[in-house]
Amino acid sequence: MATNDKVIIFDTTLRDAEQTPGASLTVPDKMEIAKQLARLQVDVIEAGFPISSNEDYEAVHRIAHEIEGPAICGLARVVLKDIDRAAEALAGAPKPRIHTFVGTSQIQLDGQLRKNRAEVLELAVKAVAHAKSAVDDVEFSPMDATRTDLDYLCEIVHATIEAGATTINIPDTVGFTVPEQFAELIVHLKQNVSNIEQAVISIHCHDDLGMAVSNTLSALRAGARQVECTLNGLGERAGNASLEEVVMALRTRSDYYGLDTDVVAKEIVSTSRLVSRMMGIAVAPNKAIVGANAFAHSSGIHQDGVLKARNTFEIMEPTDVGWEATSIVLTARSGRHALRHRLEELGYELSKDELEKAYERFIELADKKKEVFDEDLMAIVGDEIRVEGNEKYKLEYLHTISGSGTVPSATVRLHIEGAESVQQSAWGDGPVDATYEAINLAAGQRPTVEEYIIQAITGGSQAMGEVTVRVNDGELKTTGRGVSTDIIEASARAYVDALNRLYLRRGRQVRSDQVQSQTI
Ligand code: KIV
Ligand code: ZN
């Protein structure tokens, strides 16, 4: 592939997608996803916004130092202390990038920043120069670029390149643009910014009008060479351009685009599942590439065609993006060594303690289920390491009674960090309701359950049930997840996970409120 044919994939799942309502990732979650993004071979991982919380700082720091392959990026406003915090998180890392941004449209200037164009330009130039004194790889984003005055956009792009920006990202922050207009904007920058060749043009599209991927592809045709995108299209509000759709559109229609990426497409489905599981956000069945029905043919005519020649109704091979028949890998006779080996093949490197916990859960499962599938293993590992080291509440014991003619009741014992274990019993409309009430009494918390989803991880009546529960404590929302062959236990684990996440997020909230209330 000639160098100008390569599109840089900048994955912002850990930063923009983490802003999805209800999605919240712990540092171990982010590490797990970052490892998988490295296997997917994205070029850049935006790992967080270090000034916004200690967790984001730690995630950027650990990912930048422990994940090999991609460049690791930390986000910063055009504020010197933001840039210093990002630089500190990235210091000594092999491939650090600082991404600094500021709103440039008149709407942002008047409505939020209350600054004039000259003041914002000066801040942007100073921020880029400051970032450049810490790292070579500096990206600048004129936020809300698609609603920014064109002459001013050219001026700020020129000035920030002069100050040292090596990537200029053009965000369609509110998903306002349309494909033809966005392409014209990229061409306009190429023709009117005299030093534009010294930087890579990037695009960052939001999906408010459902055009994030179309706008992205259109800008690539016009000369952009970096795409900012997320797995499953997650992100602020309606989300960002979906990585899997952009990558597969370029690959499937290379005849038209003449562009490609270094992404290992076979890793797409497992990465999508990992992100969905970690964020507690299910993928819609009809989602392109990664939805359960993306390659399912139901009409008789289509089935007949595909059986005769796949290309009659299929433009991609499902196996190319990682849809494979689930293979049976382990049984109760498999030892720790076999488990470790299979987990390593699936990309999990567990510490001794983590492996021990995973092994206990695996044996429990294998005894009940006989055949343990890759999906089961991934679910167990995800469940065990989700809030590692940060668990305020731990479920120690659960007993429920239910049946027709019985009042459903539950007894739980919770271990509460820094306190004694607490045991409580309660009754409810059903065993899950009773369990949640008993957990509320034990934890002294009572968030509202906004959504409860249960699904089977693999087929058959012995499949593990995966419960995702979204809770709201009046101020914060979060999602918890739990897996077990016993669906009441999976429900209890999911709820305790959600309480742990609320606890963590309350700590983070203080810091990010401070950042958000101080614009620049
Ligand atoms: O949508 C946006 O403009 C952003 C910037 C921080 C690039 O996410
Ligand atoms: Zn964004």
Side-chain angles (χ1 to χ4, degrees):
M1 205 195 315
T3 47
N4 65 349
D5 293 337
K6 161 155 172 165
V7 172
I8 298 166
I9 295 293
F10 176 114
D11 181 277
T12 183
T13 305
L14 299 181
R15 200 277 299 168
D16 213 318
E18 217 234 349
Q19 293 169 210
T20 307
S24 59
L25 297 172
T26 62
V27 176
D29 291 346
K30 283 194 166 193
M31 284 299 293
E32 217 38 59
I33 294 175
K35 277 186 209 160
Q36 181 57 31
L37 290 172
R39 278 193 289 276
L40 186 65
Q41 280 188 31
V42 303
D43 301 284
V44 187
I45 297 175
E46 188 164 51
F49 187 5
I51 193 83
S52 70
S53 69
N54 290 338
E55 284 74 20
D56 261 40
Y57 173 88
E58 194 191 331
V60 173
H61 179 78
R62 282 192 58 191
I63 292 170
H65 292 82
E66 294 174 37
I67 302 295
E68 280 174 31
I72 308 300
C73 178
L75 185 68
R77 294 168 302 176
V78 289
V79 173
L80 301 190
K81 68 173 170 20
D82 283 33
I83 292 168
D84 288 339
R85 188 79 174 142
E88 196 185 326
L90 294 165
K95 292 189 195 169
R97 174 181 292 195
I98 295 179
H99 174 193
T100 184
F101 72 100
V102 65
T104 50
S105 65
Q106 207 53 47
I107 299 173
Q108 301 289 337
L109 264 58
D110 296 341
Q112 188 175 41
L113 301 174
R114 316 268 157 89
K115 293 199 187 301
N116 65 34
R117 290 184 185 177
E119 287 168 326
V120 167
L121 189 131
E122 191 186 339
L123 284 170
V125 166
K126 280 196 176 142
V128 168
H130 193 61
K132 194 75 181 178
S133 67
V135 296
D136 283 338
D137 189 357
V138 176
E139 171 169 331
F140 172 69
S141 288
M143 189 169 76
D144 206 10
T146 51
R147 295 192 299 169
T148 298
D149 174 81
L150 266 185
D151 290 340
Y152 180 56
L153 185 64
C154 289
E155 191 185 348
I156 201 162
V157 166
H158 183 274
T160 49
I161 293 175
E162 208 163 61
T166 42
T167 300
I168 292 292
N169 181 43
I170 304 300
D172 183 29
T173 305
V174 292
F176 178 73
T177 198
V178 295
E180 297 76 12
Q181 193 183 25
F182 200 38
E184 282 164 21
L185 173 57
I186 302 300
V187 170
H188 185 89
L189 290 171
K190 284 173 78 83
Q191 290 175 346
N192 292 281
V193 177
S194 61
N195 56 1
I196 195 78
E197 296 298 332
Q198 293 168 34
V200 172
I201 301 179
S202 167
I203 61 259
H204 175 116
C205 296
H206 279 273
D207 208 30
D208 299 67
L209 292 173
M211 287 187 279
V213 171
S214 311
N215 289 335
T216 298
L217 293 171
S218 189
L220 289 174
R221 278 276 283 179
R225 284 296 175 267
Q226 174 178 285
V227 174
E228 300 203 353
C229 48
T230 59
L231 263 298
N232 305 338
L234 293 172
E236 186 80 33
R237 307 181 309 282
N240 290 60
S242 135
L243 178 147
E244 60 277 11
E245 292 177 23
V246 172
V247 165
M248 291 315 290
L250 293 180
R251 202 150 288 174
T252 309
R253 296 304 314 274
S254 60
D255 59 318
Y256 182 72
Y257 290 104
L259 299 169
D260 204 356
T261 69
D262 286 344
V263 164
V264 178
K266 274 191 181 303
E267 295 288 340
I268 285 179
V269 168
S270 47
T271 317
S272 156
R273 286 186 182 175
L274 180 70
V275 168
S276 159
R277 179 171 290 148
M278 292 280 184
M279 292 203 171
I281 299 175
V283 174
N286 63 330
K287 167 81 180 64
I289 320 289
V290 293
N293 294 346
F295 293 91
H297 302 276
S298 62
S299 108
I301 295 174
H302 288 210
Q303 286 176 349
D304 178 60
V306 168
L307 288 173
K308 288 176 178 151
R310 292 198 81 93
N311 65 358
T312 50
F313 291 100
E314 251 177 38
I315 56 168
M316 294 166 274
E317 292 276 340
T319 48
D320 288 352
V321 294
W323 283 106
E324 252 132 48
T326 311
S327 53
I328 299 163
V329 287
L330 299 174
T331 68
R333 285 185 300 280
S334 312
R336 284 175 182 72
H337 182 73
L339 178 67
R340 178 194 284 277
H341 182 72
R342 186 61 198 151
L343 287 173
E344 276 172 8
E345 280 176 351
L346 291 171
Y348 293 97
E349 283 157 38
L350 302 192
S351 68
K352 226 171 148 216
D353 282 356
E354 287 168 347
L355 182 71
E356 206 43 50
K357 281 200 226 161
Y359 185 70
E360 274 171 34
R361 293 282 303 273
F362 160 71
I363 287 297
E364 233 176 76
L365 180 65
D367 279 344
K368 288 185 196 152
K369 208 177 166 246
K370 312 276 182 283
E371 297 166 336
V372 179
F373 296 84
D374 287 351
E375 276 85 353
D376 296 323
L377 291 180
M378 287 164 76
I380 289 176
V381 174
D383 205 35
E384 283 303 331
I385 60 184
R386 248 190 133 206
V387 281
E388 167 222 312
N390 289 312
E391 286 173 306
K392 173 81 177 158
Y393 309 103
K394 234 184 212 154
L395 183 66
E396 286 186 333
Y397 172 88
L398 168 67
H399 179 72
T400 54
I401 300 171
S402 68
S404 46
T406 319
V407 175
S409 63
T411 301
V412 300
R413 191 165 64 238
L414 275 194
H415 181 264
I416 304 181
E417 187 200 24
E420 306 242 309
S421 295
V422 183
Q423 185 166 312
Q424 286 288 354
S425 299
W427 54 270
D429 290 341
V432 174
D433 187 42
T435 302
Y436 283 12
E437 183 53 26
I439 293 173
N440 284 344
L441 293 172
Q445 305 284 323
R446 191 171 294 280
T448 309
V449 175
E450 289 191 334
E451 201 177 337
Y452 171 92
I453 303 168
I454 179 155
Q455 54 190 4
I457 291 178
T458 49
S461 60
Q462 290 178 325
M464 289 220 286
E466 176 173 53
V467 172
T468 305
V469 61
R470 183 162 307 199
V471 300
N472 182 347
D473 74 353
E475 268 182 56
L476 294 171
K477 288 184 186 195
T478 196
T479 313
R481 211 190 108 258
V483 291
S484 172
T485 48
D486 175 337
I487 56 174
I488 310 299
E489 187 186 325
S491 306
R493 283 177 173 275
Y495 193 60
V496 171
D497 184 40
L499 292 186
N500 280 321
R501 284 163 184 278
L502 274 181
Y503 177 75
L504 271 179
R505 294 199 65 199
R506 272 182 219 122
R508 279 198 216 180
Q509 178 79 353
V510 178
R511 191 94 195 238
S512 75
D513 278 355
Q514 284 163 1
V515 169
Q516 272 154 27
S517 60
Q518 299 155 10
T519 41
I520 47 177

